[in-house]
Amino acid sequence: MGETPSRLHELANRAGTWLALSAASERHTAAVVADRFEQIVWRDTYGQSAALRELAEELNERGDHPQGHPQGHTYGHAPDPTHSHALAPTRDHVTDLLTDVFLAAYKVRPRVRERAEMAPSRLVNHQVVTALVESLEFAELRRATVGDPYAAAMAVLAQAAELRRILERSRAAQEQAQQAEKGRRDTRNAATAVGEMLQRAADGAAEDGTVPAPDADAVHRAIGTAEAAEAAARQAAQGAGQALAAVTPGIRVVARKAAAKAAEATREEAEMMRAWGVGPGELERLPFEPRARLAERLRTSRLAQWAELIGRFRQMARGERARKVENTVGELVGVTLGNDLSRVIPSELANLGLPELRAVFAARYAAGELMLYDSQGEQSTGQGAVIACVDTSHSMYEAGPGSVTREAWAKACALALLDQARAAGRDFVGILFSAADKIRVFRFPADRPADIAQVLDFAETFLGGGTSFQTPLTAASELLAEEFNDSARARGDIVLITDGECDVTEEWMRGRNDAKHVLGFRVFGVAIGAPPATEADSVLEALCDNLRSIEDLTDVHAAADLFRVI
C-alpha cells in the first residue's frame, strides 16, 4: 500500500461514510423527553429527597455502579466519549432510570423516545419506561402524580423493590448493552481518527491532489480499524438486542406490578391525608421535606390506625350537613303540607318555572297544601364557637368493638366537629382534659386555615390521670365569654365527650348556670361506654342540654344528630 501514491479525492470517497459517522449526533440517555423546567423540577426534587438519593446509591451499589447524580451530565444525552468517565459506561445508568420513572409520572403528556434514538447502554431503561407507560396500572397512578413532584417522587420510591428486581434480572442484558455502547463508542472514535488522518493527508497533498504514500497508508489503516470496530459493534448490538428481547416479557410483568403497587401507595396516602383534613391544595403548598415528614408521621404513629375512623366520621358529618334544612328546626324526618316557603321541596318550586302550573302553585299555597320538608328536634341556633371537651383520662385507652379505643372515637368526633365549625364559619376550640390540674387547649380560629401540625398535636396528645368536668367546662365558658366580649357573638356550643363520672360543687354549678344564661351556650354530652353516666339525676344529665350514650365505637352514625343541630 505504501508503493503507490493515492489521489485525495479517492481517499475522501472511501472515507466519506466514516466522516458522516463522526459528525453524527450523540444518542440520548434519557427515555422520557423533558424540557428545561421539568429537568429543574427533577433536580430540585432529587436534591430535597434523601430517600431518592439513598435509593439511587443502593441500586448503584447492587449493580457495582458508581453513584450517579442528575447533575453529573447533560440530561438526555450520552457523556462525551473523549472524557475519562466515558470508560465507565455504567455511570448514571440507575439515576437516569429513576429520572425517567419520575418524569413519566410527573409530566402531563410524557413522550418516550424511539428506541433508535437511545444510547445502547440505556435500552434496558427504555424498555422499563415503555412497559410502565403502556400499562393501565400506570395510567391510574398518574391520576395522583401528574404535576405533583412529591407524589411523583413517592411513586418512584413505591416501585423501589420492583426496580431492584428488574435491574437484577436484566443484569446480563445490561452488560450486553454496555458492550454495545462500547462498540458504538469505539466505532465513533475510529471514525473520528479517519477524519483526522484524511485531514493530515489533505494538508500534505500536492497541487494535483496526489497524497504521499505514508499519509495515504495512514488513511487506509484508519479506515480498516473503523471497519473492524463497526463489525464488532454490530455483533455486540445484535447480542444486546437478543439479550434484551429475552428479558422484555419479565420486565413488562414486573413493571405492571410496580405501577400497581405505586398506585395503591399513592392512593392510600391521599386517602390518609383526606381523612385528616389535608386537602390537595394545602399539600401542594407544602415544601417537599415537611410534606414527607407529615406523611411519615401519619403512617408510623398511632394516628395511622385512626385514619379510617376519622374519614368515616368526616364523611358522615358532611352527609348530615347536606341533610340540614335552613331556617327549620332539628332533624329532617319526611314531607308534610303547609305554606312555609322556606321549607318548600324542590319539585314544588319547579312548578313556578312552568307558566301553566303557576296558578296551581298559588292555589295550593293559599290552601296550605304545598309539600314541605318536615323536621323535628332542636333548633340549630349556634353562632359562637364550637368547643369540644375531650376526656383523656386513663380509662379512655380502653378498646371497644373493632379494637376502636374510646380515645380514637372521641378524637375522630372532635375532628369532625372542627369541620363542622369550619363549614359554618365558626371558631373551633379543642380542650383535652383529665384530672383537675391537667388540661390542654387548642384554638382554631375561623379566619385562618387550620394548621395540620396543630391538628395532629391535638389528636396525639393524651394527658392520663383521673377525670374532672369543672376544669374543662370552666375553660370553655371563659373562652365563650372572651368571644362574646370581643365580637358580641353568643350562643356557642360545647360538646363534652367522656367515659367517666365525677362530682361538681354546687357553687361551681351556680356560676356555670349564670354564665350559661348570659352567653346562651348549649352543652351536648356524649358518654362513651358508660351508660350509668346518662341516667336521670346523673352529673352529666344535669350538665347537658342534650345527652346520648355511645356503646358501639365502630358506629359513627350514633352521633349523627350532633351534626344536624350544631
Side-chain angles (χ1 to χ4, degrees):
M1 184 179 294
E3 298 296 328
T4 305
S6 300
R7 294 286 182 179
L8 182 60
H9 73 276
E10 295 171 350
L11 293 174
N13 286 338
R14 188 178 176 199
T17 299
W18 306 108
L19 295 178
L21 179 60
S22 67
S25 61
E26 285 286 352
R27 294 187 182 181
H28 295 278
T29 59
V32 179
V33 179
D35 60 29
R36 184 176 298 275
F37 170 77
E38 291 157 347
Q39 295 169 28
I40 292 173
V41 169
W42 160 248
R43 286 196 296 269
D44 287 349
T45 304
Y46 187 90
Q48 294 173 37
S49 173
L52 279 177
R53 298 193 300 275
E54 290 168 3
L55 176 61
E57 182 176 0
E58 178 200 346
L59 295 180
N60 272 305
E61 289 174 353
R62 281 172 173 259
D64 295 325
H65 304 321
Q67 183 182 1
H69 190 281
Q71 295 174 329
H73 64 270
T74 302
Y75 177 84
H77 299 281
D80 186 341
T82 64
H83 291 177
S84 60
H85 71 248
L87 299 177
T90 58
R91 185 174 180 83
D92 291 329
H93 161 244
V94 167
T95 307
D96 282 341
L97 176 60
L98 299 184
T99 306
D100 282 331
V101 175
F102 172 88
L103 290 172
Y106 173 76
K107 285 172 60 69
V108 176
R109 294 182 181 85
R111 181 173 76 83
V112 179
R113 287 189 168 91
E114 297 296 327
R115 179 170 171 169
E117 299 178 71
M118 298 298 299
S121 62
R122 300 302 191 268
L123 288 177
V124 171
N125 289 6
H126 182 271
Q127 186 58 57
V128 172
V129 175
T130 299
L132 281 174
V133 299
E134 290 179 351
S135 68
L136 294 176
E137 294 83 357
F138 200 73
E140 179 185 354
L141 168 66
R142 282 174 36 77
R143 284 198 284 270
T145 60
V146 169
D148 187 339
Y150 172 86
M154 293 302 102
V156 175
L157 295 172
Q159 298 174 82
E162 285 69 25
L163 293 177
R164 291 188 198 99
R165 192 172 299 117
I166 287 174
L167 291 177
E168 289 168 359
R169 292 182 178 181
S170 62
R171 188 185 300 272
Q174 183 60 38
E175 290 173 355
Q176 291 274 28
Q178 299 299 153
Q179 288 299 318
E181 180 71 33
K182 183 178 182 301
R184 189 184 69 85
R185 195 161 44 246
D186 290 345
T187 302
R188 188 182 176 102
N189 289 340
T192 300
V194 170
E196 292 172 351
M197 293 302 101
L198 184 62
Q199 183 61 50
R200 183 180 299 176
D203 292 342
E207 291 185 3
D208 62 355
T210 301
V211 176
D215 290 344
D217 286 346
V219 173
H220 289 302
R221 283 195 300 272
I223 291 174
T225 300
E227 289 172 342
E230 182 186 37
R234 190 181 303 113
Q235 184 176 1
Q238 183 178 2
Q242 292 171 347
L244 183 60
V247 298
T248 291
I251 288 177
R252 287 175 179 159
V253 171
V254 178
R256 288 186 61 184
K257 290 181 179 178
K261 183 177 179 180
E264 181 180 2
T266 53
R267 182 172 57 251
E268 288 177 353
E269 181 164 309
E271 290 173 353
M272 179 177 64
M273 292 294 183
R274 282 196 298 271
W276 283 97
V278 186
E282 184 177 358
L283 283 177
E284 291 173 5
R285 290 191 297 270
L286 277 177
F288 188 94
E289 278 305 321
R291 183 171 172 182
R293 288 195 298 270
L294 171 61
E296 183 68 12
R297 182 179 181 184
L298 292 179
R299 274 195 302 268
T300 59
S301 71
R302 66 195 184 100
L303 301 176
Q305 58 189 306
W306 298 355
E308 190 270 340
L309 177 66
I310 291 170
R312 289 195 294 118
F313 244 109
R314 284 182 149 149
Q315 184 177 13
M316 177 274 293
R318 282 194 298 270
E320 295 306 318
R321 283 197 294 275
R323 290 184 61 193
K324 292 176 74 171
V325 182
E326 296 300 326
N327 302 317
T328 67
V329 292
E331 178 183 0
L332 175 63
V333 295
V335 175
T336 187
L337 299 179
N339 58 5
D340 184 350
L341 295 178
S342 68
R343 294 190 289 140
V344 175
I345 67 174
S347 60
E348 286 279 29
L349 291 175
N351 292 336
L352 290 175
L354 301 173
E356 60 272 21
L357 294 179
R358 288 174 185 167
V360 175
F361 181 91
R364 295 182 64 181
Y365 171 72
E369 295 179 351
L370 293 175
M371 288 190 291
L372 313 176
Y373 284 120
D374 192 16
S375 62
Q376 65 182 18
E378 298 184 65
Q379 187 174 4
S380 179
T381 58
Q383 297 295 324
V386 176
I387 302 179
C389 297
V390 179
D391 188 349
T392 60
S393 59
H394 282 310
S395 58
M396 291 291 285
Y397 268 136
E398 186 175 329
S403 299
V404 178
T405 65
R406 295 173 178 180
E407 179 200 13
W409 193 98
K411 298 282 183 65
C413 182
L415 292 176
L417 288 169
L418 168 59
D419 290 348
Q420 191 81 352
R422 282 269 179 254
R426 301 166 68 183
D427 291 350
F428 176 81
V429 181
I431 298 178
L432 304 180
F433 70 92
S434 58
D437 60 342
K438 292 185 177 181
I439 187 172
R440 284 284 303 277
V441 178
F442 297 82
R443 305 184 70 163
F444 300 90
D447 60 357
R448 54 179 176 266
D451 179 67
I452 182 59
Q454 188 182 15
V455 171
L456 296 181
D457 287 343
F458 169 67
E460 280 189 310
T461 299
F462 192 88
L463 302 177
T467 303
S468 169
F469 293 158
Q470 290 186 189
T471 301
L473 292 177
T474 297
S477 295
E478 290 173 350
L479 287 167
L480 292 175
E482 177 186 329
E483 181 183 39
F484 179 75
N485 293 332
D486 289 345
S487 58
R489 286 199 299 270
R491 302 200 307 276
D493 289 314
I494 300 173
V495 181
L496 177 63
I497 309 175
T498 181
D499 70 341
E501 297 180 79
C502 73
D503 292 328
V504 297
T505 66
E506 291 185 9
E507 181 182 0
W508 178 87
M509 194 68 175
R510 284 194 296 271
R512 174 261 188 191
N513 289 338
D514 290 342
K516 189 174 186 296
H517 176 74
V518 172
L519 300 172
F521 59 78
R522 300 178 297 181
V523 180
F524 297 83
V526 182
I528 305 177
T534 62
E535 293 177 355
D537 299 326
S538 68
V539 173
L540 274 181
E541 197 272 338
L543 288 173
C544 301
D545 303 298
N546 181 302
L547 179 63
R548 81 282 331 278
S549 177
I550 305 297
E551 294 297 317
D552 183 358
L553 301 186
T554 64
D555 182 13
V556 301
H557 292 279
D561 62 312
L562 278 176
F563 300 92
R564 291 195 292 273
V565 297
I566 291 180

